[in-house]
């Protein structure tokens, strides 16, 4: 977990394996999938073919993009069908959830959280925790579809005010309301990070 590359080639998407009650969530998943394909990026995700997970994957595939699904054996029949998994460009079956999450991290250059439940929350929070501990600087995005993540943002503000986000400068996820703005925001942050590093290298070279 020490990879510091800012070159964006793949995007990991965390999201619900259910569609949710708001139809806009499924629409957002499909739209993000199409955007990933249009930018020539690879989708890395949890391998599910149902709910929002399935919508993102189908959006990428419909746009001619590449999809890597990473799923534990025990979840295959819960979050997917074996037939639909065969349509993915790459399928990685892991022995457990820990291996799944680590593989998703290693295969991804940025992370996006669409609406979802406890699993989605746990995944993006773990990535934020690793950032706080200085293990990576990969862009992290909350796709704030219809304000879905507003309560999370309020909780983070509360934790900061209470003094618990002691390295808050490392935990600065992007909050993007429009799906079309997600990838440009990721690219902009990656470019800024590269520029900052080049500046640091120049200073060090003159010391």
């Amino acid at each position: 977990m020490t990879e510091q590359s800012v070159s964006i080639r793949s995007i990991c998407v965390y999201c619900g394996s259910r569609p949710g009650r708001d139809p806009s969530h499924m629409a957002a998943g499909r739209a993000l999938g199409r955007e990933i394909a249009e930018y020539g990026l690879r989708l890395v995700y949890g391998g599910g073919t149902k709910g929002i997970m399935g919508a993102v994957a189908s959006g990428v595939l419909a746009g001619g993009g590449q999809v890597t699904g990473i799923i534990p054996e025990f979840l295959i029949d819960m979050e997917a069908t074996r037939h639909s998994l065969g349509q993915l460009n790459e399928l990685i079956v892991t022995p457990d959830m820990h291996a799944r999450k680590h593989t998703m991290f290693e295969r991804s250059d940025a992370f996006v959280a669409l609406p979802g439940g406890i699993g989605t929350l746990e995944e993006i929070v773990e990535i934020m925790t690793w950032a706080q501990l200085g293990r990576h600087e990969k862009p992290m995005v909350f796709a704030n579809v219809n304000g879905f993540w507003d309560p999370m943002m309020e909780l983070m503000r509360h934790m900061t005010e209470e003094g618990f986000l002691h390295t808050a400068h490392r935990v600065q996820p992007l909050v993007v309301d429009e799906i079309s703005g997600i990838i440009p925001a990721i690219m902009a942050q990656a470019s800024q990070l590269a520029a900052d590093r080049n500046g640091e290298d120049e200073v060090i070279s003159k010391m």
Side-chain angles (χ1 to χ4, degrees):
M1 294 186 302
T2 57
E3 175 65 39
Q4 297 295 313
S5 173
V6 296
S7 176
I8 306 299
R9 301 172 301 274
S10 59
I11 293 181
C12 178
V13 176
Y14 302 124
C15 56
S17 59
R18 292 176 174 272
R21 293 197 177 106
D22 187 342
S24 66
H25 295 164
M26 287 287 284
R30 286 188 290 270
L32 179 58
R34 289 192 297 269
E35 289 280 308
I36 290 172
E38 185 175 329
Y39 277 86
L41 304 173
R42 174 177 287 269
L43 168 67
V44 176
Y45 84 123
T49 57
K50 303 176 182 178
I52 302 174
M53 294 176 75
V56 177
S58 65
V60 176
L61 293 172
Q66 299 291 304
V67 177
T68 294
I70 304 171
I71 190 169
E73 177 70 38
F74 78 94
L75 275 182
I76 288 179
D77 294 320
M78 294 173 59
E79 293 187 349
T81 65
R82 294 177 189 271
H83 171 73
S84 55
L85 285 174
Q87 300 176 30
L88 305 183
N89 302 105
E90 181 182 27
L91 176 65
I92 300 173
V93 180
T94 63
D96 52 43
M97 292 291 286
H98 178 76
R100 176 204 219 180
K101 291 188 291 182
H102 188 266
T103 305
M104 290 171 76
F105 174 83
E106 294 292 337
R107 290 294 196 100
S108 305
D109 300 314
F111 307 90
V112 177
L114 283 167
I118 293 174
T120 301
L121 179 62
E122 187 266 342
E123 287 170 323
I124 190 63
V125 167
E126 184 167 48
I127 291 299
M128 291 164 63
T129 301
W130 292 348
Q132 179 174 258
L133 295 173
R135 304 304 294 168
H136 77 89
E137 293 179 331
K138 299 176 182 181
M140 302 170 289
V141 178
F142 282 93
N144 201 28
V145 182
N146 288 347
F148 182 86
W149 291 111
D150 285 349
M152 180 66 184
M153 298 304 104
E154 180 57 35
L155 177 60
M156 288 185 63
R157 283 191 289 270
H158 175 66
M159 288 189 289
T160 300
E161 291 169 359
E162 292 295 322
F164 288 106
L165 289 186
H166 52 88
T167 51
H169 62 288
R170 292 179 179 166
V171 189
Q172 295 182 344
L174 301 166
V175 182
V176 182
D177 296 334
E178 300 296 329
I179 295 299
S180 61
I182 290 175
I183 295 179
I186 288 173
M187 297 297 189
Q189 187 177 77
S191 295
Q192 183 60 54
L193 181 57
D196 291 345
R197 282 194 188 137
N198 289 336
E200 290 172 3
D201 290 343
E202 289 179 8
V203 170
I204 291 173
S205 67
K206 295 177 181 177
M207 293 178 67

